[in-house]
Amino acid sequence: MEEKMIQVDERLERIEIKLAYLEDFLERLQSAVLEQNKQAEKLSQEHRVLKEKILFLTKELEEIPNRKPPHY
């Protein structure tokens, strides 16, 4: 009976150790995901700004008349 209790205690200890590793892993994973989300939001904002600038420049270029410069 005592040997059985020792085995149960050892199994429980191994499970607790694995759980501690998993909790640490999940915390680090969550931190990494949050950091990547911040970077993704920043890149999305930069993309939006660049897209607006390109659209603005494209509209300005369309307004330039398609003719030869005066020196031709």
Side-chain angles (χ1 to χ4, degrees), residues 20-67:
Y21 278 112
L22 286 172
E23 287 174 337
D24 178 62
F25 172 75
L26 285 175
E27 286 177 17
R28 289 185 286 126
L29 182 61
Q30 182 181 14
S31 176
V33 168
L34 290 173
E35 183 61 34
Q36 287 182 345
N37 281 344
K38 287 179 188 176
Q39 290 176 353
E41 287 176 23
K42 181 180 176 187
L43 289 173
S44 179
Q45 177 62 27
E46 289 176 0
H47 175 263
R48 214 172 2 263
V49 168
L50 289 173
K51 184 178 176 182
E52 289 172 4
K53 285 182 180 180
I54 289 173
L55 288 173
F56 175 77
L57 291 173
T58 301
K59 287 179 182 177
E60 282 204 358
L61 285 175
E62 288 174 354
E63 292 175 6
I64 297 175
N66 189 9
R67 60 181 184 198

Side-chain angles (χ1 to χ4, degrees), residues 12-27:
L12 183 57
E13 185 178 339
R14 286 195 302 268
I15 290 171
E16 288 173 340
I17 291 170
K18 287 182 179 182
L19 179 60
Y21 278 112
L22 286 172
E23 287 174 337
D24 178 62
F25 172 75
L26 285 175
E27 286 177 17

